[in-house]
């Protein structure tokens, strides 16, 4: 029986990072908003998804809780060490070259080298920090409060029924319940599995495990170790606690006929990289399992509701993208709801682009995960799936060629103005391709030296840019499934290409533009990053290229080893601090 009624501007189901990030940013930019966060559990509680990517740190700073997260003494993620596929050697992938990482005291501010690193977080601590922060900004946070039903009239949510019999009403309802997708399921929103990947994850926590490597004060790399039937992760979460998990195909797990504990212990015991790290550690008693089947919702909004984070879609955890997708989506949703309330933009335009952004990102990360798995002997059938992905984008490629295409630009619009995904820029993705395929990867921009913009047949539209609490429309061109958003490096290149078509002049113009803001050495690094975007423009047909034999070439190459991706140096395990 309904006993009471509550009126809010925004009612959020779920108090994890998606719900708390959304709530915090809504209250930051619109303190007058009445924001309710309903969480069925009592924090702290453990949760999977502990390894972050650098974009999250920028959002934590915007939320105003960087200092609280940094004060929790989570390990600084400088990158990851991989052993993958048939290769037995180890490779390090770093956000910041190790030679540039300074041994500085903590807690530190979000500045300098910390702009380029990430955290490895104990979710029992991290999620509580975020939820408490949302409450401190004025969100009405109610833990141990379960939503039991979502009454709706057509596509309009009429309220939320709670376990205690009360009813909550709001102008907007948000599903931030993760994989559960409570509101999504109640409204029968279909999902697309997108990929043939259907894995199971088994994990547990250890006290006082050794770290594979200590970098400065609190810095380390996560460990991702491929096996014939799956892969292991090892993630230090605090000076004393670490997470260790095993991922394998669900069908393989079923065929073994063993308990989760038996499967887990067998995987750890046969790995000479991971086993020594926990040999003298104390395992916590609980063992956890979950299905990590990648999926994407057919839509992320309705008449008065939205999906955010993993309620909207989930990408396999191999690239540590889950929390980044969740925080980024929650940030964009906060901006969208504020703009809807202020009627500052067309509401259909706002909803459409929120939906487009979230679903495109999830699908891109799923596709890149397919590429990674296709390099592991257990998942070679995914090369056929890569060919289908390419076909969906209008390309007729063999499975092998499609596999390479996915790592060379088929995913390259993860964030507006940047060419990259999962912490890797396009140059890094090409380098990874060389490592996993043992074949040289070329740059198209090195085969020509005359470049001219080609916008013939492209539709022109405006897309939202989310900054400083407001949405700013920016120019965008759409053609053949590709989107050219004129921000960041893409905008700079478009402006330069209006003035010159010569490759050498383009490169010097990039350096000059960056040198007006940063030291010349850094400007040259930024200019090389901008060439990633030039490669994307050429690959997607936004540029016509030709060769003038009298002019010099750019000569962009992909080394087998570089400052960010290189063979791992042997390091003796050290105990946690």
């Amino acid at each position: 029986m309904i006993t009471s009624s509550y009126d809010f501007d925004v009612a959020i189901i779920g108090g994890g990072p998606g719900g708390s990030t959304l709530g915090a940013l809504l209250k930051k930019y619109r303190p007058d908003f009445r924001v309710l966060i309903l969480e069925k559990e009592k924090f702290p509680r453990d949760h999977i998804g502990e390894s972050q990517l650098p974009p999250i740190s920028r959002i934590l700073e915007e939320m105003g809780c960087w200092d609280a997260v940094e004060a929790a003494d989570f390990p600084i993620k400088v990158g990851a060490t991989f052993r993958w596929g048939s290769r037995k050697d180890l490779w390090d992938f770093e956000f910041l070259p190790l030679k540039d990482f300074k041994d500085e005291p903590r807690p530190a501010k979000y500045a300098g080298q910390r702009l380029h690193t990430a955290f490895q977080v104990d979710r029992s601590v991290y999620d509580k920090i975020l939820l408490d922060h949302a409450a401190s900004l004025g969100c009405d946070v109610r833990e141990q409060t379960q939503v039991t039903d979502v009454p709706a009239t057509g596509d309009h949510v009429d309220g939320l029924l709670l376990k205690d019999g009360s009813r909550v009403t709001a102008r907007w309802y948000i599903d931030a319940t993760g994989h559960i997708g409570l509101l999504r399921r109640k409204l029968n929103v279909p999902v697309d599995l997108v990929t043939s990947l259907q894995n199971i994850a088994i994990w547990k926590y250890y006290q006082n495990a050794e770290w594979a490597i200590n970098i400065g004060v609190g810095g380390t790399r996560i460990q991702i170790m491929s096996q014939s039937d799956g892969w292991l992760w090892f993630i230090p979460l605090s000076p004393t606690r670490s997470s260790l998990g095993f991922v394998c195909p669900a069908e393989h797990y079923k065929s073994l006929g063993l308990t989760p504990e038996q499967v887990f212990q067998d995987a750890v015991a046969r790995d000479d990289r991971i086993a020594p790290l926990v040999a003298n550690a104390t395992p916590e008693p609980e063992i956890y399992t979950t299905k990590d089947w990648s999926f994407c919702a057919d839509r992320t909004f309705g008449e008065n509701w939205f999906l955010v984070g993993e309620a909207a879609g989930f990408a396999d955890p191999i690239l540590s993208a889950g929390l980044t997708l969740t925080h980024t989506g929650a940030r964009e949703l906060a901006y969208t709801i504020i703009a809807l309330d202020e009627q500052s933009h067309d509401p259909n335009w706002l909803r459409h682009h929120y939906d487009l952004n979230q679903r495109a990102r999830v699908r891109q990360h799923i596709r890149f995960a397919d590429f990674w798995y296709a390099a592991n002997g257990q998942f070679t059938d995914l090369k056929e799936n890569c060919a289908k992905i390419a076909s969906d984008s209008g390309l007729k490629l063999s499975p092998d060629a499609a596999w390479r295409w996915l790592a060379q630009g088929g995913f390259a619009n993860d964030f507006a103005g940047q060419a990259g995904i999962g912490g890797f820029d396009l140059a890094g993705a090409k380098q990874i391709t060389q490592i996993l395929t043992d074949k040289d990867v070329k740059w198209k921009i090195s085969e020509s030296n005359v470049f001219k913009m080609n916008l013939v047949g492209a539709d022109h539209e405006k897309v939202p840019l989310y900054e400083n609490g407001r949405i700013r429309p920016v120019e965008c061109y759409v053609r053949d499934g590709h989107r050219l958003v004129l921000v960041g490096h893409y905008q700079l290149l478009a402006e330069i290409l209006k003035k010159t078509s010569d490759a050498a002049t383009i490169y010097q113009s990039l350096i000059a533009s960056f040198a007006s803001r940063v030291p010349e050495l850094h400007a040259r690094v930024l200019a090389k990053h901008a060439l990633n975007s030039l490669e994307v423009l050429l690959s997607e047909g936004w540029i016509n290229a030709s060769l003038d034999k009298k002019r010099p070439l750019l000569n962009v190459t992909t080394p087998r080893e570089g400052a960010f991706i290189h063979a791992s140096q042997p390091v003796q395990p050290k105990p946690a601090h």
Side-chain angles (χ1 to χ4, degrees):
M1 179 177 178
I2 299 174
T3 58
S4 58
S5 178
Y6 302 91
D7 291 318
F8 294 89
D9 294 298
V10 183
I12 303 168
I13 314 171
S20 55
T21 298
L22 172 60
L25 290 175
L26 285 172
K27 293 298 290 186
K28 173 181 178 176
Y29 295 120
R30 285 294 302 271
D32 59 311
F33 264 21
R34 297 161 299 166
V35 180
L36 173 67
I37 302 178
L38 301 170
E39 170 54 51
K40 71 175 183 179
E41 297 188 49
K42 175 65 177 177
F43 285 11
R45 54 91 178 94
D46 284 316
H47 200 283
I48 198 172
E50 299 140 336
S51 183
Q52 299 190 350
L53 298 175
I56 292 177
S57 296
R58 182 170 62 249
I59 298 173
L60 294 175
E61 177 73 2
E62 182 179 3
M63 291 167 60
C65 63
W66 161 273
D67 288 341
V69 173
E70 167 69 1
D73 203 22
F74 297 124
I76 302 170
K77 182 180 177 183
V78 181
T81 297
F82 281 87
R83 183 187 66 226
W84 199 250
S86 59
R87 300 183 67 105
K88 300 301 181 184
D89 50 341
L90 302 176
W91 285 81
D92 293 334
F93 301 79
E94 294 166 343
F95 304 135
L96 180 74
L98 198 55
K99 63 180 179 61
D100 297 334
F101 188 85
K102 299 180 179 63
D103 192 2
E104 60 184 18
R106 298 183 70 187
K109 294 297 182 182
Y110 180 62
Q113 67 184 19
R114 299 302 298 280
L115 299 177
H116 308 288
T117 60
F119 289 107
Q120 296 161 199
V121 297
D122 185 330
R123 291 286 299 274
S124 66
V125 179
Y126 179 75
D127 289 11
K128 181 170 173 53
I129 291 173
L130 267 58
L131 190 60
D132 288 349
H133 179 68
S136 73
L137 293 177
C139 291
D140 185 344
V141 174
R142 303 182 188 179
E143 296 180 78
Q144 295 179 300
T145 304
Q146 185 174 355
V147 175
T148 57
D149 199 7
V150 183
T153 303
D155 201 43
H156 183 276
V157 174
D158 298 323
L160 303 176
L161 298 183
L162 308 184
K163 190 175 182 179
D164 64 4
S166 63
R167 181 187 182 100
V168 169
T169 59
R171 291 196 291 148
W172 289 286
Y173 298 89
I174 313 300
D175 186 346
T177 61
H179 241 97
I180 296 170
L182 177 65
L183 187 150
R184 185 192 75 230
R185 293 176 188 270
K186 291 290 185 181
L187 294 178
N188 297 313
V189 177
V191 299
D192 182 0
L193 293 181
V194 184
T195 173
S196 59
L197 280 175
Q198 294 188 347
N199 293 335
I200 184 172
I202 309 169
W203 77 100
K204 67 189 314 176
Y205 299 97
Y206 288 80
Q207 291 291 334
N208 299 312
E210 295 180 331
W211 292 9
I213 183 172
N214 281 14
I215 303 170
V217 178
T220 188
R221 300 188 199 97
I222 66 170
Q223 305 293 303
I224 303 294
M225 298 292 119
S226 173
Q227 295 193 352
S228 62
D229 55 352
W231 59 276
L232 287 165
W233 79 69
F234 178 80
I235 307 174
L237 305 177
S238 77
T240 59
R241 197 182 196 213
S242 297
S243 170
L244 174 55
F246 178 60
V247 177
C248 70
E251 287 302 317
H252 173 71
Y253 166 75
K254 292 177 183 176
S255 71
L256 295 175
L258 302 174
T259 66
E261 182 77 39
Q262 289 172 322
V263 172
F264 174 83
Q265 293 297 344
D266 175 69
V268 174
R270 52 189 160 92
D271 195 287
D272 58 6
R273 174 76 172 179
I274 301 300
L277 301 179
V278 295
N280 299 315
T282 302
E284 296 181 11
E286 296 83 6
I287 188 159
Y288 302 87
T289 64
T290 187
K291 297 182 296 184
D292 63 352
W293 296 358
S294 298
F295 74 93
C296 185
D298 281 6
R299 59 189 177 114
T300 61
F301 71 93
E303 196 171 318
N304 64 338
W305 57 267
F306 292 91
L307 310 179
V308 72
E310 290 182 9
F314 175 77
D316 188 275
I318 186 64
L319 295 177
S320 302
L323 277 176
T324 302
L325 294 173
T326 293
H327 278 286
T328 302
R331 176 180 181 270
E332 292 180 354
L333 181 53
Y335 282 61
T336 298
I337 291 174
I338 291 169
L340 285 169
D341 180 71
E342 296 176 349
Q343 300 180 355
S344 53
H345 301 286
D346 176 65
N348 293 327
W349 179 78
L350 291 167
R351 290 184 172 98
H352 167 73
H353 284 288
Y354 172 77
D355 179 75
L356 182 68
N357 288 343
Q358 309 323 308
R359 297 197 302 117
R361 287 199 194 102
V362 170
R363 288 175 178 272
Q364 287 165 341
H365 279 268
I366 290 172
R367 290 172 178 181
F368 202 37
D370 276 1
F371 164 73
W372 275 88
Y373 278 105
N376 186 324
Q378 180 69 20
F379 303 91
T380 51
D381 62 307
L382 286 176
K383 289 188 181 181
E384 295 290 345
N385 191 52
C386 292
K388 181 180 183 301
I389 293 167
S391 177
D392 291 343
S393 298
L395 301 175
K396 293 184 178 180
L397 300 175
S398 69
D400 281 345
W403 177 29
R404 291 191 294 273
W405 166 79
L406 278 171
Q408 295 178 40
F411 59 85
N413 290 299
D414 200 16
F415 296 99
Q418 303 177 29
I421 190 170
F424 301 109
D425 63 9
L426 187 56
K430 286 177 179 286
Q431 194 173 358
I432 291 166
T433 304
Q434 289 190 156
I435 293 170
L436 297 181
T437 65
D438 201 28
K439 296 178 181 179
D440 291 335
V441 174
K442 297 181 179 179
W443 289 73
K444 289 186 177 182
I445 56 173
S446 289
E447 298 171 353
S448 305
N449 52 19
V450 178
F451 304 108
K452 297 181 179 180
M453 288 294 294
N454 171 28
L455 301 177
V456 176
D459 294 325
H460 176 258
E461 62 179 46
K462 295 289 184 70
V463 299
L465 186 67
Y466 309 88
E467 56 183 10
N468 301 319
R470 293 292 180 267
I471 290 177
R472 176 167 64 90
V474 296
E475 305 294 323
C476 175
Y477 291 91
V478 182
R479 184 179 60 203
D480 300 330
H482 298 303
R483 305 175 67 81
L484 171 56
V485 182
L486 293 181
V487 296
H489 292 167
Y490 295 111
Q491 181 182 28
L492 177 58
L493 284 165
E495 292 173 354
I496 291 173
L497 286 164
K498 290 178 182 178
K499 302 173 183 177
T500 182
S501 60
D502 176 68
T505 307
I506 292 170
Y507 182 59
Q508 291 302 320
S509 298
L510 287 169
I511 294 175
S513 176
F514 292 125
S516 66
R517 291 169 279 165
V518 299
E520 183 175 348
L521 182 61
H522 192 195
R524 291 184 177 277
V525 173
L526 290 174
K528 290 182 178 179
H529 283 306
L531 293 180
N532 285 266
S533 299
L534 185 65
E535 177 81 353
V536 172
L537 292 176
L538 181 55
S539 298
E540 295 187 350
W542 298 113
I543 290 177
N544 289 331
S546 59
L547 177 64
D548 184 341
K549 294 183 179 180
K550 295 181 181 180
R551 300 183 186 184
L553 294 166
L554 287 172
N555 290 322
V556 181
T557 59
T558 304
R560 288 300 172 114
E561 295 191 40
F564 295 91
I565 303 175
H566 50 81
S568 183
Q569 299 297 319
V571 179
Q572 292 298 319
K574 298 179 181 180
H577 304 298

